[in-house]
Amino acid sequence: MRIVILGPPGAGKGTQASRLADHLGIPHIATGDIFRQVAAEETELGRRLRATMDAGELVPDEFTNELVKDRLAKSDASNGFILDGYPRNVDQAAALDEALDDLGTKLSHAIKFMVRGDDIVRRLSGRRICLECGAVYHMETHPPQENEKCDHDGTSLVRREDDMEDTILRRLEVYGEQTRPLYDFYRERGKLVEMDGLGSEEEVFERLLGILGH
Ligand code: AP5
């Protein structure tokens, strides 16, 4: 399966994409995670990415498209993949179609997670992440076993810089302006599946498997 997961910031895309990738045995490719790794480095590129992400703006398309194209050409993605956070606008969606054409394949589903505004803010403000392994927690709905430490490696959990209130608002604006038009793009191509993203992580996962026929 070649799937893109779409939805507003905090909709649960990363949480579900990671579970689905384990379940299907295909890679979870999250542009946000890749960018956060580079942004953590004290290099010129790292500093530029950090400034863009912390402001809630999108990383330039040319750089993003090239990175995804190279990633999709790796052998572990030849039997399928789950893209999370990409594409983010219509130009990226067109670039993805082109990259898949070059690989002689096509997207199977574009799945949209639907979550309301107040749930988005609740999810983002309670989120904590492990910078070491990328694990994602929520202080109410998915807390770590030991206070603010990662269950996998004991690293102290942190709040993402772009989960601060002002940046959340800017991310939602960018989503409305640039990412929403993607729904028509995929609807017109018969790929869009709209899914309720509310409920527990487990409930959402079962719903997702039902849609995919697993
Ligand atoms: P990115 O990391 O992709 O951020 P996003 O799309 O805004 O999505 P999030 O990671 O915030 O949320 P999510 O939907 O994955 O939710 P999660 O599962 O974590 O991008 C960050 C930045 O990178 C962008 O702003 C941009 O600068 C740059 N970037 C990335 N891709 C780009 C691209 N293609 N082009 C240009 N720039 C790009 O869940 C959120 C919280 O809710 C967690 O705490 C989780 O535990 C909790 N939770 C999850 N599910 C449930 C549930 N069912 N019930 C209760 N809580 C839940």
Side-chain angles (χ1 to χ4, degrees):
M1 282 189 191
R2 293 173 176 82
I3 300 170
V4 301
I5 307 246
L6 304 169
K13 303 181 296 292
T15 302
Q16 298 297 333
S18 161
R19 292 181 75 144
L20 189 60
D22 287 347
H23 184 83
L24 297 176
I26 53 179
H28 168 203
I29 302 171
T31 42
D33 290 349
I34 298 170
F35 290 152
R36 267 184 292 283
Q37 276 173 9
V38 181
E41 292 165 12
E42 280 307 327
T43 59
E44 181 51 32
L45 178 60
R47 278 188 286 278
R48 284 217 311 266
L49 277 183
R50 201 151 64 226
T52 304
M53 296 171 80
D54 290 355
E57 305 296 336
L58 294 187
V59 174
D61 284 351
E62 202 181 326
F63 178 69
T64 307
N65 290 335
E66 204 60 37
L67 181 137
V68 173
K69 188 175 177 187
D70 287 351
R71 180 64 189 86
L72 293 180
K74 294 210 161 118
S75 60
D76 66 336
S78 63
N79 288 324
F81 54 78
I82 300 165
L83 273 172
D84 154 22
Y86 181 94
R88 206 91 167 188
N89 58 33
V90 170
D91 286 347
Q92 291 187 6
L96 174 61
D97 276 356
E98 225 173 87
L100 293 177
D101 270 353
D102 289 351
L103 292 167
T105 187
K106 287 197 178 320
L107 205 62
S108 32
H109 304 80
I111 301 178
K112 172 186 175 187
F113 283 13
M114 296 187 298
V115 177
R116 287 188 307 253
D118 46 350
D119 287 295
I120 290 174
V121 174
R122 200 170 311 121
R123 286 184 183 186
L124 291 179
S125 48
R127 172 164 59 189
R128 299 290 182 275
I129 62 164
C130 172
L131 286 177
E132 188 62 30
C133 72
V136 177
Y137 299 85
H138 189 281
M139 296 316 289
E140 285 162 25
T141 59
H142 183 165
Q145 283 162 13
E146 201 190 323
N147 195 24
E148 307 260 342
K149 298 259 192 269
C150 179
D151 292 347
H152 307 290
D153 49 39
T155 305
S156 293
L157 302 179
V158 294
R159 190 167 176 182
R160 267 170 53 174
E161 228 16 83
D162 62 349
D163 280 346
M164 303 306 164
E165 200 173 328
D166 285 355
T167 315
I168 292 177
L169 294 178
R170 179 61 194 146
R171 287 163 66 202
L172 287 169
E173 279 174 7
V174 170
Y175 164 76
E177 289 159 10
Q178 304 213 33
T179 308
R180 265 185 195 283
L182 277 181
Y183 301 134
D184 282 340
F185 180 95
Y186 285 120
R187 193 176 289 115
E188 283 158 14
R189 286 158 181 77
K191 304 276 186 205
L192 187 72
V193 183
E194 296 183 279
M195 202 191 97
D196 183 1
L198 295 180
S200 68
E201 286 183 22
E202 199 54 48
E203 285 165 347
V204 176
F205 188 57
E206 289 305 319
R207 205 173 294 144
L208 182 56
L209 292 184
I211 282 173
L212 296 171
H214 272 255

